[in-house]
Amino acid sequence: MTQQIFDTATRTLRAFEPFRDGHVSIYLCGATPQSSPHIGHLRSGVAFDIVRRWFAANGNDVAFVRNVTDIDDKILTKAAEHDRPWWEWVSTYEREFSRAYETLGVLPPSVEPRATGHVTQMVDYMQRLMDNGYAYAADGSVYFDVAAWVAAGGDYGSLSGNRVEDMEQGETDNRGKRGAHDFALWKAAKPGEPSWPTPWGDGRPGWHLECSAMSTWYLGESFDIHGGGLDLKFPHHENEQAQSHAAGDGFARYWMHNHWVTMAGEKMSKSLGNVLSIDRMLEAVRPVELRYYLGSAHYRSVLEYSPEALQEAAVAYRRIEDLITRASALAPVEPGQWTDAFADAMNEDFSVPRALAEIHNTVRAANKALAAGDTDEATRLAGAVRAMAGVLGVDPVEWAGRAGAGSDSADTARVTEALDVLVRAELDRRAEARAAKDWATADAVRDRLTEAGIEVTDTADGAQWSLKENNNG
């Protein structure tokens, strides 16, 4: 099956054809580090990490650019409120974002450009827009002329589906604007704020301009995929596309937008006060389990947060981990080949829920093979599970070897393996007692395991065990 992507710009499922064969170029709008990251921020990172991994797993060379917006009104406001230099403030929280990405196993980008490092490219972009008649300077600021672009047949509004007359830029500083719909490419300097020189006056970058300048600088005038959160579709991405097309660039050939994490039906955000930090989440589950949770819904679907949903995801991941641990105790398990059903799911707009369903189907089949004593088949299926889990960034073997994957992850894996051998022996004793209708012995075994904090579940595939959740605190 050919790779299909739901393209926001056309609102259709399109066959993916890379700009260059064997090479996929992706630009992802990254962090604006004004404060600590929460799981709403990290959902985008995990979703597009899975996209990247799938392209790479299919033999593509992937150029993945994720920017940092390191100059912004909110950053300046926060820094001033805390009487800290803006550059120190943004650097502090940029490190927190980087740590969070790494903690959740998000691969580092090919390059991570910062807005303040690309003023030269922005000046060039503004000059091109002025030369084409779609930008103008006013009182030290530079604006994109929406009316001029629309009059020339430009596609303003096509990405978001909004009508021009209904659009509000949300900009507070409108000095010298010709039209209410125009947006700032460059903001004139204000007392006490950082600024950089340009031919039109000192100032700082506009939010939208920086991404057009950085994406095309690293990926070329046309590139494959532009991604980001759904909340960026307007005004940010609409304005990016307009200025880039007006400058003469082909720009993004496909647009992908991930949906939000919500809590009680509301988008997770600082202003709503319903923020859940990464560190707080990791008090409840391990990093790999949090990653599993954040990546478990389709990227275009709302992910509704609840403690129960998080724990359900953790338990589901442990089923994968349990299989790999038990199969590895019998024979080495190397990543094999994913199933056709898994590939079909990923090729249909990265349908992770279907892909996870196929992983768990394969886990059940492998457990049956283990129960039947068919080590070869169990090992083959476990290898397929590893391959599929690796595409989603949750291969238990890889995580067991990661620093920071948990408290002394390698030792933990060995302890789990040893515990499994002991528990399995008890479960075998219980199964023999039940077969002999010796209910007293069977119940005694189960009670002893329960007292030790081990939960036993009788399934069609036989008895399964897991550690009971610690509900203290």
Side-chain angles (χ1 to χ4, degrees):
M1 178 180 178
T2 303
Q3 181 69 56
Q4 304 285 313
I5 292 178
F6 185 85
D7 176 26
T8 307
T10 62
R11 297 161 188 77
T12 61
L13 200 63
R14 294 176 55 201
F16 178 71
E17 298 178 0
F19 190 65
R20 286 195 296 143
D21 287 343
H23 179 85
V24 178
S25 47
I26 303 173
Y27 183 85
L28 176 63
C29 279
T32 300
Q34 54 163 312
S35 55
S36 298
H38 57 67
I39 60 174
H41 295 129
L42 270 294
R43 187 193 180 184
S44 180
V46 170
F48 284 97
D49 186 59
I50 291 172
V51 170
R52 175 190 187 177
R53 285 172 182 264
W54 180 237
F55 279 126
N58 280 281
N60 294 287
D61 173 36
V62 182
F64 190 90
V65 180
R66 185 183 68 214
N67 79 298
V68 176
T69 297
D70 62 343
I71 188 72
D72 173 86
D73 290 344
K74 293 178 181 178
I75 290 171
L76 296 176
T77 298
K78 290 276 190 182
E81 287 174 353
H82 292 82
D83 194 26
R84 305 306 306 164
W86 70 273
W87 47 264
E88 178 194 64
W89 188 265
V90 74
S91 295
T92 297
Y93 290 106
E94 183 182 344
R95 287 193 296 272
E96 286 202 18
F97 270 86
S98 295
R99 178 172 63 86
Y101 286 130
E102 183 179 5
T103 298
L104 295 190
V106 174
L107 298 172
S110 306
V111 64
E112 194 167 27
R114 291 153 186 77
T116 56
H118 295 79
V119 172
T120 299
Q121 288 80 10
M122 295 182 211
V123 170
D124 177 67
Y125 228 93
M126 287 187 283
Q127 187 62 63
R128 289 165 60 194
L129 287 167
M130 286 185 171
D131 292 344
N132 290 347
Y134 302 122
Y136 59 91
D139 299 328
S141 294
V142 179
Y143 294 100
F144 181 82
D145 193 332
V146 171
W149 177 235
V150 171
D155 54 357
Y156 197 69
S158 65
L159 180 62
S160 62
N162 294 326
R163 298 187 305 169
V164 175
E165 55 268 29
D166 295 334
M167 297 186 195
E168 299 251 347
Q169 296 295 342
E171 295 180 350
T172 56
D173 188 355
N174 298 313
R175 291 175 293 173
K177 270 192 181 184
R178 292 178 185 171
H181 300 110
D182 298 349
F183 56 87
L185 301 169
W186 189 258
K187 297 183 177 183
K190 294 180 182 178
E193 288 190 355
S195 62
W196 290 260
T198 76
W200 310 283
D202 292 356
R204 58 184 174 88
W207 179 29
H208 318 300
L209 176 66
E210 63 186 57
C211 283
S212 288
M214 289 187 287
S215 60
T216 54
W217 177 254
Y218 290 100
L219 298 177
E221 295 179 358
S222 292
F223 56 92
D224 292 315
I225 297 170
H226 194 314
L230 186 64
D231 52 334
L232 299 179
K233 187 163 65 170
F234 181 83
H236 186 46
H237 289 166
E238 187 74 72
N239 292 349
E240 273 191 71
Q241 177 174 267
Q243 67 198 11
S244 301
H245 288 176
D249 290 341
F251 206 54
R253 301 171 69 245
Y254 300 81
W255 287 86
M256 296 178 66
H257 289 92
N258 65 277
H259 218 308
W260 304 318
V261 176
T262 61
M263 190 163 65
E266 294 187 272
K267 174 179 175 288
M268 191 166 292
S269 66
K270 304 284 184 188
S271 60
L272 291 176
N274 57 3
V275 173
L276 292 170
S277 72
I278 303 303
D279 289 342
R280 188 64 177 269
M281 292 295 93
L282 295 181
E283 293 175 4
V285 294
R286 294 175 295 165
V288 63
E289 293 165 348
L290 179 56
R291 180 193 169 100
Y292 182 102
Y293 169 70
L294 291 176
S296 60
H298 193 284
Y299 76 92
R300 289 192 289 115
S301 300
V302 172
L303 180 62
E304 173 71 11
Y305 171 78
S306 71
E308 294 77 17
L310 179 62
Q311 290 300 330
E312 286 172 7
V315 170
Y317 171 76
R318 290 168 200 163
R319 294 193 191 103
I320 300 172
E321 187 178 46
D322 176 69
L323 165 68
I324 301 302
T325 299
R326 291 191 295 112
S328 297
L330 300 176
V333 176
E334 298 297 331
Q337 180 59 46
W338 50 73
T339 68
D340 290 343
F342 178 85
D344 287 346
M346 294 300 291
N347 282 333
E348 190 173 348
D349 195 31
F350 308 96
S351 182
V352 172
R354 283 175 50 206
L356 282 172
E358 177 60 12
I359 290 175
H360 286 286
N361 286 338
T362 310
V363 167
R364 284 189 286 272
N367 280 329
K368 287 183 178 179
L370 283 174
D374 190 344
T375 301
D376 290 344
E377 179 66 359
T379 301
R380 184 188 70 81
L381 292 169
V385 169
R386 277 200 64 192
M388 294 184 285
V391 168
L392 304 185
V394 292
D395 176 13
V397 176
E398 290 185 0
W399 275 89
R402 273 173 53 91
S407 299
D408 300 318
S409 299
D411 290 340
T412 300
R414 287 193 292 270
V415 169
T416 301
E417 187 175 314
L419 179 61
D420 180 73
V421 172
L422 297 174
V423 174
R424 289 289 161 193
E426 286 292 281
L427 292 178
D428 289 342
R429 184 171 173 231
R430 176 173 175 262
E432 291 171 0
R434 291 179 59 155
K437 300 188 183 308
D438 182 359
W439 308 118
T441 299
D443 289 344
V445 171
R446 181 165 191 154
D447 291 344
R448 189 159 55 250
L449 291 173
T450 299
E451 289 174 6
I454 294 168
E455 187 170 27
V456 177
T457 304
D458 292 311
T459 73
D461 299 331
Q464 304 294 323
W465 71 272
S466 61
L467 292 175
K468 295 175 70 174
E469 295 298 326
N470 183 2
N471 295 319
N472 296 329

